[in-house]
């Protein structure tokens, strides 16, 4: 070859190399298939939450074996100021692996457990775990996993797993792990499982605990608690037989029919901390758009059981009412969609909340005047604010979600559910009867009746996982709702609304603690109310004020001496008003600080005393015996007892006649 | 049996039904008597409950709303601290809910609390005692005066007690074994995989029908045994039971047609009560009016129970060889000094 030709060849070769290198650099990154959305960025500028726990999950349901096989990639960022050299994960379904889990030990101890059939149990097994190390390679750490029991040392409990990272992860550093797992789906256990061809699947994947400044907050699964986890972006692909209608957290972004008769549903959710899903071929799939001039629109998807098709309007009405009121009172619902599931009979999946997905509760037969399904549905939708967005630690402070939500739900139902009547059910619970004369009031929805029965069972500031299991809900739900309602009565609704809206806006996506809530109360009201929170939060004492004595005697022709003795029967204290009325229509109002054991008031007036009431406005809703708060010198107890005993007599006569069948 | 036989059976059933009402309405003292028994046995427990309610209300202003309407806060506070009778004081006592509660309680094998169970036992013993006199009176279709009535009641009482012991064994077996087998074991097995409530309800309804049929069958055999004990003066309870079975076997269509008619009448009374049952109401005149209406309902139920007995007697007698069976009155020595002087 001549020199010019060699030069030309070399030039062409170099040019080809340059072009090839350039082309390689400029080649676009691997694009998703056409039509599929790009996963949300975990550090997008519009992120509402820290998005430090992000999950990509690929899972397949085996309908015949009732199992799930999954693979997930978790990208986690340390947002605390402390380093860590381990990860801790929840494997919740191992709570129903056998009777020796902490969950079941506690249920058995509280007498709440009946051994299920053999096919009811579940399990969750991590079959592979890989960590991306500092060099960027994935390292197999499967053999390094170990179970821990940080709460009670129960070696048989396998609901918390620790994975050593082999290095220290400093603040703001990231870790990526891949897991493969299999899980056996239980017959319904604590709102999760299958019945017939209906699935409700929650807490179904290995989920990270929460790293806090003091260390990992990864409690074992307890009978009295729910869950706690960090926010992130979820990108989940679920593959199921094609016949299933699927609902899930987040929004559906793709659906692919596969050659093997399955369909892969892709759901994505941003700024959520959990992911649940449901599937049934029998769902009636309805949608409605919630619109309001002051709030962003929300697409409501209702997955209804076909036998309850007639209740669709009731469901949509209460969902919209809750979105409207919670939005106006506390802050706008930030997600574009909400899925509400009407659970299947015997699925035990009713009345539960997950990010952007909740389950209601209804029956085949339900009178229009009863609050089935409205009561539970409003409550679960309301959870989107306290559980879903504010996201407090339900292992330790369940009251901050359940109690605040119960209080707010009661207010929604008072406004939006009318008429609302007491209901009883007969014939195995299938036949309802609504009592037209007995309204179900806001205080009933605050659950005063249940609180009264177990008022002293635990002090609310005890970590929830240490509550006695059979009465835990009474403290978290009932007592909290009642003291919040009491606070509202004392401060007024506008102040209460301000407290809750500031608390919501300030602490959304941030996992606040009790002190954060109390600080907002102090900030808004200008007072600490420590005396109040000492009684209702840091104590299990009960409130009971009453009238010990009330008499009015003629002193002379023109004067009566009226003596009022009011007493604090309970150990908890609260300032109360005492109002005494007289025959001439006049009344005297005293304010008693409620601290001493009793207070005595003596009046000398021209009119005889008529009535006396302690806390006449029923401000203190935690008073376990309000009947003794009043007395009258013209009692109607005889009339009232006669009336009701006559009604009871008719019931007894009817019962006698019913048994008369046998003779 | 052809259609003419069915028509005859139905005709006899209808005739028995009509005849039964004639006998019941022709002996109003019996209706009054059983009503008095029902009222008087319920009264003491009602007075006890009233005492408990009154003690709890005291002089409280809560009584004001409890008297004029419903004070559900107080109601729940009362039941939270109640024991024994007070625990039965629930919204289910109001209006038609009482019927649902009671029927559901029996068919779902709910055990009554001790004081109620004692009252029920006393009530059923009272019926066992009075049944002899009632059947005797309806069978004779003429007045027999109180001493005749109670003589018959006393005369047949121990036979009826033996019969009740046998019936009690059967009912006990049904509730202790058949009921749990159906409603706990079989119902759980059949519904375990069900995700549709309506289907579960139909299954339960089917089990109610099966269990109800067993109760009705036992009831029928015992009822006709009682009739045969009185009308034929049978001494042997087992003899009466087998005679009852024979009668039902030979006249099954008539027996079931009559039972169906009586049951329909019963359902009509219940439907009327469902429409008219007073609610919570107030105190004063409306309370008494409501109570009176309720007692009319109780009276109607009692009349219906007597109608079951009377119509079964009528059906039995219509099928006897001596259909117009009427026993002559037993001779009674007159109570007078003149008669004593003759003796």
């Amino acid at each position: 070859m001549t020199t010019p030709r060699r030069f030309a060849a070399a030039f062409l070769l170099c040019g080809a190399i340059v072009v090839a290198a350039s082309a390689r650099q400029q080649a676009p990154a691997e694009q998703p298939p056409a039509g599929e959305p790009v996963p949300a960025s975990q550090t997008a500028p519009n992120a509402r939450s820290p998005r430090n726990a992000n999950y990509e999950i690929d899972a397949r349901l085996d309908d015949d074996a009732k199992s799930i096989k999954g693979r997930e990639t978790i990208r986690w960022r340390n947002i605390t100021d402390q380093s860590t050299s381990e990860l801790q994960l929840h494997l919740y379904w191992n709570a129903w692996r056998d009777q020796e889990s902490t969950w079941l030990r506690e249920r058995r101890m509280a007498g709440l457990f009946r051994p299920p059939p053999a096919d009811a149990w579940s399990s969750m097994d991590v079959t592979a775990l890989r960590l991306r190390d500092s060099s960027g390679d994935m390292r197999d750490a499967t053999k390094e996993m170990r179970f821990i029991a940080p709460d009670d040392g129960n070696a048989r409990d396998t609901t918390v797993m620790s994975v050593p990272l082999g290095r220290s992860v400093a603040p703001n550093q990231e870790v990526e792990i891949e897991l493969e797992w299999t899980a056996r789906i239980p017959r319904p256990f604590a709102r999760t499982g299958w019945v017939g061809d209906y699935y409700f699947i929650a807490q179904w994947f290995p989920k990270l605990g929460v790293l806090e400044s003091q260390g990992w907050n990864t409690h074992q699964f307890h009978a009295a608690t729910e869950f706690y986890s960090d926010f992130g972006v979820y990108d989940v692909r679920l593959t199921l037989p094609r016949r299933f209608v699927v609902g899930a957290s987040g929004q559906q972004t793709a659906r692919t029919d596969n050659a093997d008769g399955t369909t892969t549903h892709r759901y994505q959710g941003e700024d959520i901390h959990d992911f649940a899903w449901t599937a049934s071929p029998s769902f009636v799939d309805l949608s409605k758009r919630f619109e309001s001039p002051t709030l962003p629109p929300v697409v409501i998807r209702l997955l209804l059981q076909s036998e309850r098709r007639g209740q669709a309007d009731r469901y949509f009405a209460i969902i919209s009412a809750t979105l409207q009121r919670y939005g106006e009172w506390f802050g706008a619902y930030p997600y574009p969609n909400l899925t509400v599931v009407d659970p299947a009979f015997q699925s035990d999946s009713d009345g539960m909340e997950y990010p952007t997905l909740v389950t209601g509760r209804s029956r085949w037969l339900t009178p229009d005047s009863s609050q089935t399904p409205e009561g539970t549905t409003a409550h679960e939708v309301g959870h989107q604010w306290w559980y879903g967005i504010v996201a407090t630690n339900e292992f330790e402070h369940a009251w901050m979600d359940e109690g605040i939500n119960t209080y707010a739900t009661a207010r929604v139902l008072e406004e939006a559910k009318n008429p609302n009547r007491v209901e009883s059910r007969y014939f195995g619970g299938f036949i309802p009867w609504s009592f037209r004369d007995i309204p179900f009031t806001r205080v009933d929805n605050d659950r005063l009746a249940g609180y009264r029965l177990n008022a002293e069972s635990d002090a609310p500031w005890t970590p929830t996982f240490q509550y006695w299991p059979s009465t835990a809900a009474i403290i978290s739900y009932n007592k909290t709702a009642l003291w919040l309602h009491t606070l509202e009565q004392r401060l007024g609704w506008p102040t209460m609304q301000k407290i809750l809206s500031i608390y919501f806006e300030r602490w959304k996506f941030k996992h606040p603690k009790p002190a954060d809530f109390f600080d907002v109360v102090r900030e808004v009201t200008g007072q600490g109310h420590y005396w109040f929170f000492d009684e209702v939060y840091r104590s299990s004492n009960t409130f009971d004020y009453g009238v010990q004595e009330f008499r009015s005697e003629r002193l002379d022709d023109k004067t009566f001496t009226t003596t009022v003795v009011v007493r604090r029967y309970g150990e908890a204290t609260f300032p109360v008003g005492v109002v005494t009325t007289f025959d001439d229509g006049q009344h005297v109002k005293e304010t008693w600080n409620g601290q001493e054991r009793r207070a005595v008031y003596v009046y000398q007036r021209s009119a005889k005393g008529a009535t006396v009431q302690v806390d006449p406005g029923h401000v203190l809703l935690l008073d376990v015996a309000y009947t003794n708060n009043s007395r009258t010198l013209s009692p109607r107890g005889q009339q009232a007892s006669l009336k009701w005993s006559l009604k009871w007599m008719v019931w007894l006569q009817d019962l006698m006649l019913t048994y008369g069948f046998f003779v | 049996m052809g259609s003419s036989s069915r028509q005859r059976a139905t005709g006899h059933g209808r005739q028995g039904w009509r005849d039964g009402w004639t006998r019941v309405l022709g002996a109003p003292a019996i209706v009054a008597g059983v009503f008095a028994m029902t009222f008087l046995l319920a009264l003491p427990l009602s007075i006890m409950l009233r005492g408990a309610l009154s003690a709890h209300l005291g002089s409280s202003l809560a009584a004001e709303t409890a008297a004029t309407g419903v004070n559900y806060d107080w109601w729940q506070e009362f039941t939270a601290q109640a024991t024994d009778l007070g625990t039965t004081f629930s919204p289910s006592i109001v209006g038609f809910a009482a019927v649902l509660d009671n029927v559901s309680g029996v068919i779902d094998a709910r055990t009554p609390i001790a004081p109620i169970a004692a009252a029920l036992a006393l009530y059923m013993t009272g019926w066992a005692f009075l049944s002899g006199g009632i059947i005797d009176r309806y069978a004779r279709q003429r007045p027999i005066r109180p001493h005749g009535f109670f003589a018959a009641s006393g005369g047949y009482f121990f036979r009826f007690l033996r019969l009740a012991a046998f019936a009690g064994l059967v009912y006990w077996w049904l509730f202790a074994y058949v009921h749990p087998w159906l409603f706990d074991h079989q119902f759980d097995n059949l519904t375990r995989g069900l995700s549709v409530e309506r289907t579960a309800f139909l299954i339960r309804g089917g089990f109610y029908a099966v269990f109800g049929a067993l109760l009705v069958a036992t009831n029928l055999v015992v009822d006709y045994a009682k009739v045969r004990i009185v009308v034929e003066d049978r001494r042997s309870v087992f003899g009466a039971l087998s005679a009852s079975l024979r009668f039902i076997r030979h006249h099954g269509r008539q027996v079931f047609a009559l039972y169906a008619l009586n049951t329909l009448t019963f359902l009509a009374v219940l439907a009327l009560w469902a429409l008219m049952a007073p609610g919570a109401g107030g105190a004063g005149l409306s309370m008494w009016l409501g109570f009176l209406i309720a007692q009319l309902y109780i009276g109607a139920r009692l009349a219906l129970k007597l109608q079951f007995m009377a119509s079964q007697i009528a059906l039995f007698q219509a099928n006897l060889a001596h259909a117009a069976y009427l026993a002559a009155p037993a001779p009674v020595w007159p109570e007078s000094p003149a008669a004593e002087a003759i003796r």
Side-chain angles (χ1 to χ4, degrees):
Chain A
M1 197 185 282
T2 64
T3 302
R5 280 185 188 159
R6 283 192 197 130
F7 184 76
F11 178 79
L12 282 170
L13 182 61
C14 290
I17 293 169
V18 169
V19 167
S22 167
R24 190 176 167 192
Q25 282 176 355
Q26 290 171 10
E30 185 181 333
Q31 294 294 323
E36 278 212 9
V38 177
S41 166
Q42 292 147 18
T43 55
N46 63 343
R48 302 185 196 94
S49 70
R51 294 191 184 181
N52 64 305
N54 304 288
Y55 295 78
E56 280 177 34
I57 302 175
D58 213 318
R60 174 179 281 264
L61 168 72
D62 185 333
D63 186 31
D64 293 324
K66 306 299 183 207
S67 66
I68 293 171
K69 197 166 178 181
R71 189 165 54 84
E72 67 181 4
T73 303
I74 308 175
R75 293 184 185 84
W76 175 79
R77 190 172 85 256
N78 181 356
I79 58 171
T80 73
D81 55 1
Q82 301 293 324
S83 299
T84 184
S85 56
E86 67 168 332
L87 291 179
Q88 292 186 358
L89 296 107
H90 293 285
L91 304 178
Y92 286 110
W93 284 14
N94 283 337
W96 313 313
R97 196 177 194 114
D98 58 45
Q99 293 198 38
E100 292 308 319
S101 68
T102 293
W103 197 90
L104 274 168
R105 279 188 183 179
E106 290 173 353
R107 298 274 292 191
R108 285 191 287 133
M109 182 174 61
L112 297 174
F113 176 69
R114 198 175 72 173
D119 65 348
W121 301 97
S122 74
S123 58
M124 185 180 282
D125 295 303
V126 175
T127 53
L129 188 147
R130 292 177 287 277
L131 297 166
R132 191 176 296 284
D133 63 21
S134 48
S135 68
D137 295 331
M138 292 302 267
R139 174 174 70 81
D140 188 347
T142 309
K143 288 189 168 53
E144 295 167 40
M145 306 182 302
R146 60 190 178 89
F147 293 111
I148 59 174
D151 297 331
D152 62 4
N154 177 8
R156 295 284 301 269
D157 186 83
T158 53
T159 59
V160 180
M161 184 175 78
S162 169
V163 179
L165 292 169
R167 63 181 172 99
S168 181
V169 178
N172 223 31
Q173 279 193 327
E174 288 190 2
V175 167
E176 182 177 321
I177 65 173
E178 284 179 4
L179 294 102
E180 292 171 23
W181 83 96
T182 58
R184 180 181 168 193
I185 306 171
R187 287 279 196 164
F189 246 121
R191 281 85 161 251
T192 293
W194 67 275
V195 60
D197 56 8
Y198 170 93
Y199 290 89
F200 198 91
I201 306 296
Q203 313 308 331
W204 58 287
F205 55 95
K207 187 154 54 132
L208 282 173
V210 177
L211 181 66
E212 298 178 334
S213 297
Q214 307 91 328
W216 280 99
N217 192 306
T218 319
H219 288 284
Q220 295 159 248
F221 196 6
H222 292 271
T225 67
E226 291 179 350
F227 317 104
Y228 181 42
S229 45
D230 272 330
F231 288 92
V233 174
Y234 280 75
D235 186 357
V236 180
R237 288 177 176 81
L238 301 167
T239 301
L240 300 88
R242 195 163 302 153
R243 62 194 181 95
F244 282 96
V245 173
V246 174
S249 299
Q251 284 181 285
Q252 184 158 15
T253 53
R255 180 197 157 107
T256 309
D257 289 336
N258 305 315
D260 61 357
T262 62
T263 299
T264 300
H265 304 260
R266 187 177 182 188
Y267 278 81
Q268 291 175 302
E270 298 172 9
D271 303 304
I272 59 176
H273 57 74
D274 195 2
F275 188 95
W277 56 277
T278 184
S280 167
S282 312
F283 278 135
V284 176
D285 192 345
L286 304 170
S287 280
K288 196 167 184 176
R289 192 175 164 84
F290 164 76
E291 285 182 335
S292 161
T294 53
L295 298 165
V298 178
V299 173
I300 303 169
R301 185 184 183 202
L302 177 62
L303 295 173
L304 203 55
Q305 299 300 312
S306 58
E307 62 175 346
R308 299 184 202 132
R309 191 187 286 259
Q311 298 174 30
D313 286 346
R314 290 178 67 175
Y315 262 111
F316 280 123
I318 195 61
I319 296 165
S320 299
T322 308
L323 288 171
Q324 180 78 39
R325 282 163 177 79
Y326 270 58
E328 288 173 350
W329 295 342
F330 312 129
Y333 178 76
Y335 305 106
N337 68 306
L338 175 67
T339 301
V340 177
V341 182
D342 172 47
F345 178 62
Q346 299 193 118
S347 66
D348 195 35
S349 60
D350 48 350
M352 192 55 187
E353 70 278 3
Y354 308 92
T356 73
L357 174 82
V358 304
T359 58
R361 176 180 292 141
S362 194
R363 300 297 301 262
W364 168 48
L365 293 176
T366 175
D368 286 342
S369 58
S370 97
Q371 64 171 37
T372 303
E374 287 86 354
T376 302
T377 306
H379 183 88
E380 304 312 327
V381 171
H383 269 305
Q384 295 301 299
W385 276 254
W386 313 113
Y387 147 85
I389 297 166
V390 175
T392 44
N393 184 339
E394 295 190 295
F395 286 100
E396 297 178 2
H397 315 296
W399 70 269
M400 296 183 77
D401 167 36
E402 298 294 358
I404 294 178
N405 193 41
T406 301
Y407 156 78
T409 304
R411 210 186 153 87
V412 169
L413 290 166
E414 184 184 50
E415 293 189 9
K417 175 62 187 174
N418 195 10
N420 193 357
R421 297 288 179 259
V422 168
E423 175 195 85
S424 289
R425 300 190 79 93
Y426 307 100
F427 299 102
F430 287 97
I431 304 297
W433 185 261
S434 181
F435 296 91
R436 65 173 186 268
D437 298 327
I438 311 179
F440 202 80
T441 65
R442 183 179 168 188
V443 174
D444 293 315
N445 273 315
D446 286 337
R447 312 187 191 190
L448 173 59
Y451 167 71
R452 191 183 278 126
L453 292 170
N454 293 283
E456 296 180 335
S457 63
D458 277 296
W461 75 333
T462 310
T464 310
F465 70 93
Q466 293 176 348
Y467 286 179
W468 184 251
S470 61
T471 54
I474 284 161
I475 303 303
S476 301
Y477 292 64
N478 310 31
K479 184 171 183 179
T480 308
L482 288 164
W483 68 249
L484 282 166
H485 194 172
T486 297
L487 199 58
E488 176 195 312
Q489 307 227 97
R490 196 170 157 79
L491 302 176
W493 167 241
T495 304
M496 200 68 194
Q497 190 227 325
K498 191 174 175 186
I499 290 170
L500 288 169
S501 62
I502 289 175
Y503 169 69
F504 174 75
E505 290 294 339
R506 180 175 299 168
W507 289 103
K508 58 188 182 186
F509 306 109
K510 292 178 184 164
H511 303 320
K513 293 191 169 22
D516 301 317
F517 175 80
F518 299 135
D519 283 346
V520 173
V521 175
R522 181 170 45 80
E523 176 188 320
V524 171
T525 64
Q527 301 171 41
H529 297 279
Y530 302 116
W531 59 270
F532 179 67
F533 295 126
D534 279 346
E535 296 286 15
V536 302
Y537 176 65
R538 295 185 188 88
S539 157
S540 58
N541 289 339
T542 56
F543 297 88
D544 182 8
Y545 287 93
V547 177
Q548 180 178 322
E549 210 167 306
F550 177 51
R551 58 177 190 275
S552 191
E553 294 151 333
R554 183 180 285 282
L555 187 63
D556 55 41
D557 285 344
K558 293 179 185 159
T559 315
F560 287 90
T561 301
T562 300
T563 306
V564 174
V565 180
V566 292
R567 180 171 170 159
R568 176 171 62 82
Y569 292 97
E571 297 308 307
T573 62
F574 189 85
V576 290
V578 181
V579 174
T580 307
T581 63
F582 299 88
D583 277 349
D584 61 3
Q586 301 293 310
H587 65 270
V588 175
K589 184 173 177 185
E590 312 280 359
T591 301
W592 177 30
N593 66 11
Q595 299 284 324
E596 301 82 16
R597 190 53 74 175
R598 60 180 65 78
V600 180
Y601 306 99
V602 180
Y603 309 103
Q604 290 189 342
R605 299 169 77 101
S606 58
K608 191 180 177 187
T611 67
V612 61
Q613 284 183 278
V614 180
D615 186 23
H618 208 172
V619 172
L620 177 61
L621 290 165
L622 291 152
D623 192 321
V624 295
Y626 192 66
T627 301
N628 68 4
N629 281 43
S630 61
R631 281 215 197 164
T632 171
L633 293 179
S634 305
R636 295 191 69 182
Q638 293 295 326
Q639 286 177 302
S641 59
L642 176 64
K643 169 184 136 180
W644 287 107
S645 61
L646 288 177
K647 289 200 184 299
W648 185 87
M649 183 172 167
V650 174
W651 167 84
L652 180 59
Q653 289 174 296
D654 183 274
L655 181 64
M656 285 172 163
L657 278 161
T658 308
Y659 272 82
F661 168 86
F662 298 106
V663 286
Chain B
M1 253 196 208
S3 61
S4 60
S5 314
R6 279 199 294 275
Q7 282 168 350
R8 269 204 307 277
T10 313
H12 280 215
R14 275 202 299 270
Q15 182 58 42
W17 185 83
R18 278 196 292 268
D19 203 355
W21 279 115
T22 305
R23 297 179 193 218
V24 170
L25 296 173
I30 291 181
V31 182
V34 295
F35 178 84
M37 178 178 70
T38 308
F39 189 95
L40 290 170
L41 278 176
L43 192 59
L45 290 181
S46 309
I47 292 172
M48 284 171 61
L49 180 74
R50 186 190 176 190
L53 296 175
S54 183
H56 191 262
L57 280 168
S59 303
S60 171
L61 283 170
E64 181 70 36
T65 39
T68 55
V70 178
N71 185 332
Y72 195 47
D73 283 343
W74 159 74
W75 196 329
Q76 293 175 95
E77 194 184 309
F78 174 81
T79 49
Q81 53 83 54
T83 55
D84 291 331
L85 282 184
T87 60
T88 63
F89 183 61
S90 76
S92 292
I93 67 170
V94 177
F96 189 71
V99 175
L100 295 174
D101 185 46
N102 290 332
V103 175
S104 172
V106 169
I107 202 78
D108 288 332
R110 188 172 66 210
T111 311
I113 59 169
I116 304 274
L120 292 173
L122 211 56
Y123 187 67
M124 289 195 285
T125 307
W127 269 104
F129 176 73
L130 293 176
S131 291
I134 293 170
I135 295 172
D136 186 77
R137 170 62 180 84
Y138 287 154
R140 293 175 190 273
Q141 296 188 76
R142 57 172 176 75
I144 56 172
R145 308 232 286 258
H147 65 265
F149 176 87
F150 288 108
S153 296
Y156 294 114
F157 178 56
F158 289 100
R159 278 177 256 183
F160 280 4
L161 264 190
R162 292 197 299 276
L163 183 62
F166 169 79
L169 265 174
V170 175
Y171 288 129
W172 170 80
W173 176 76
L174 286 173
F175 278 96
Y177 290 98
V178 177
H179 191 281
W181 181 77
L182 275 176
F183 290 93
D184 298 336
H185 190 63
Q186 292 304 320
F187 183 74
D188 280 354
N189 279 347
L190 287 174
T191 60
R192 185 162 183 251
L194 274 187
S195 57
V196 179
E197 184 179 359
R198 188 173 44 215
T199 310
F201 175 64
L202 288 174
I203 293 172
R204 194 171 186 96
F207 283 0
Y208 282 143
V210 166
F211 192 71
L214 291 171
L215 292 178
V216 166
T218 307
N219 200 244
L220 272 173
V221 171
V222 171
D223 278 355
Y224 282 99
K226 282 188 214 165
V227 170
R228 295 201 82 150
I229 283 174
V230 174
V231 173
E232 297 172 332
D233 196 18
R234 286 176 180 265
R235 300 288 163 150
S236 164
V237 162
F238 285 112
L241 283 167
S242 51
S244 167
L245 277 167
R246 276 198 308 277
F247 179 79
I248 293 170
R249 193 166 61 240
H250 291 141
H251 304 93
R253 284 180 190 271
Q254 297 175 43
V255 166
F256 288 106
L258 175 63
Y259 202 91
L261 270 172
N262 282 327
T263 303
L264 283 172
T265 313
F266 170 70
L267 292 174
V269 168
L270 285 189
L272 201 60
W273 176 238
L275 291 171
M276 293 180 58
L285 185 62
S286 68
M287 172 187 75
W288 291 114
L289 199 60
F291 186 67
L292 181 65
I293 293 170
Q295 294 308 302
L296 287 173
Y297 158 71
I298 297 296
R301 286 278 300 267
L302 283 162
L304 254 173
K305 180 168 175 59
L306 293 169
Q307 156 67 0
F308 270 83
M309 296 166 83
S311 58
Q312 285 164 350
I313 295 164
L315 183 72
F316 178 74
Q317 289 182 318
N319 283 283
L320 284 179
H322 44 291
Y325 168 71
L326 277 169
V332 175
W333 193 260
E335 289 291 330
S336 71
E340 287 293 327
I342 296 170
R343 283 169 90 179

